[in-house]
Amino acid sequence: MSEALLEVNALSMRFGGLLAVDQVAFSLQPKEIFAIIGPNGAGKTTVFNCISGFYQPSGGGITLAGSSIAGLGSHNVARRGVVRTFQNVRLFKSMTALENLLVAQHRQARTSFLAGLFNTAGYRRAEQQALDNALHWLDYMGLRAYANRPAGNLAYGHQRRLEIARCMITKPQVLMLDEPAAGLNPQEKKDLQHLIDQLRQQHGVAVLLIEHDMGLVMGVSERILVMEYGKPIAMGTPEAIRHDERVIKAYLGEA
Ligand SMILES: Nc1ncnc2c1ncn2[C@@H]1O[C@H](COP(=O)(O)OP(=O)(O)OP(=O)(O)O)[C@@H](O)[C@H]1O
């Protein structure tokens, strides 16, 4: 196996008396599609919040290509190439689809205020590049026709695709998707599965996925980590996970 891109070691997160994440460990290989599943409240989103810098973990380590990113804060983690979507889509709803993609690049580029003020040639070139990138990603996601619509007015499935485009336009190494299939119809779910695979193939991104839709998880993931009550209870290929007794019990126990 090649060297891990992202390593999570003995990760723990405590909220008062609740140990929401307890000794979670896994690694993500370059270009791997890896899913975290588990019943409601298992701690999946909390793991995401720790990795993406929204929470400072109570314990354990998180490294990206060998360097620690634990506790760096969400902006710094994103700048290092680990970006995410949210369970409830978070876009700038009153800005257009195109503007959402331009803002994502500005935040990343830290464009100089003075260069903008004096409208230097370099600044204009960067602006044109940002516009070209944004239009490219709107095309890629089948959203070009909606470029000038406020993001909040787009159909839900389109908002989800725009949110993924907003991540991808920053050229991440790791794309983290938190329940990307929630609220999508069956055709949109199929398209999403194809999209995730395509992003990995064409853009070399590794994907970390939280998802309740087992069809999508089993169809797209190479490996799956199963959590229950904050703890990892199984990890393996979709085939192994499907037949794991603890996993079956965790899910049947929920019904
Ligand atoms: N900021 C917080 N403060 C206190 N408790 C929290 C906080 N965030 C999450 N929790 C608790 O931690 C536990 C794990 O929550 P988390 O959202 O990570 O689970 P999940 O596996 O993502 O669930 P779901 O599938 O429902 O999204 C839950 O008991 C939750 O109530």
Side-chain angles (χ1 to χ4, degrees), residues 101 105 130-144 161-162 164-172 195 198-199 202-203:
L101 298 187
Q105 297 176 85
L131 183 61
D132 291 346
N133 289 342
L135 293 173
H136 164 79
W137 277 104
L138 288 171
D139 273 334
Y140 192 96
M141 294 291 181
L143 297 173
R144 180 71 176 256
R161 290 176 84 84
L162 181 60
I164 295 173
R166 189 177 62 178
C167 289
M168 288 305 300
I169 207 164
T170 66
K171 302 192 179 81
L195 174 67
Q198 212 181 3
L199 290 174
Q202 297 178 349
H203 296 275

Side-chain angles (χ1 to χ4, degrees), residues 2 49 113 150 220:
S2 52
N49 285 337
F113 171 72
V220 81

Side-chain angles (χ1 to χ4, degrees), residues 224-236:
I224 300 171
L225 167 70
V226 189
M227 291 180 64
E228 189 187 25
Y229 300 117
K231 291 184 170 53
I233 60 166
M235 183 155 59

Side-chain angles (χ1 to χ4, degrees), residues 15 18 20 38-46 55 87 179 212:
F15 298 113
L18 173 76
N40 289 325
K44 306 178 296 293
T45 296
T46 303
Y55 292 159
Q87 246 170 62
E179 295 193 30
H212 284 289

Side-chain angles (χ1 to χ4, degrees), residues 37-141:
I37 66 170
N40 289 325
K44 306 178 296 293
T45 296
T46 303
V47 169
F48 258 38
N49 285 337
C50 290
I51 295 172
S52 55
F54 285 81
Y55 292 159
Q56 165 97 47
S58 312
I62 306 166
T63 59
L64 179 72
S67 301
S68 175
I69 57 166
L72 277 189
S74 58
H75 292 294
N76 288 326
V77 171
R79 236 175 238 132
R80 292 195 184 198
V82 179
V83 297
R84 68 174 293 185
T85 65
F86 295 85
Q87 246 170 62
N88 304 310
V89 176
R90 289 194 197 173
L91 291 163
F92 295 112
K93 304 237 173 202
S94 58
M95 285 188 186
T96 66
L98 178 64
E99 285 165 347
N100 268 276
L101 298 187
L102 293 174
V103 168
Q105 297 176 85
H106 281 157
R107 286 177 150 192
Q108 188 197 32
R110 291 203 244 184
T111 321
S112 140
F113 171 72
L114 282 178
L117 193 64
F118 294 115
N119 195 21
T120 60
Y123 180 79
R124 284 198 304 278
R125 226 176 5 253
E127 289 292 292
Q128 185 60 48
Q129 183 66 54
L131 183 61
D132 291 346
N133 289 342
L135 293 173
H136 164 79
W137 277 104
L138 288 171
D139 273 334
Y140 192 96
M141 294 291 181

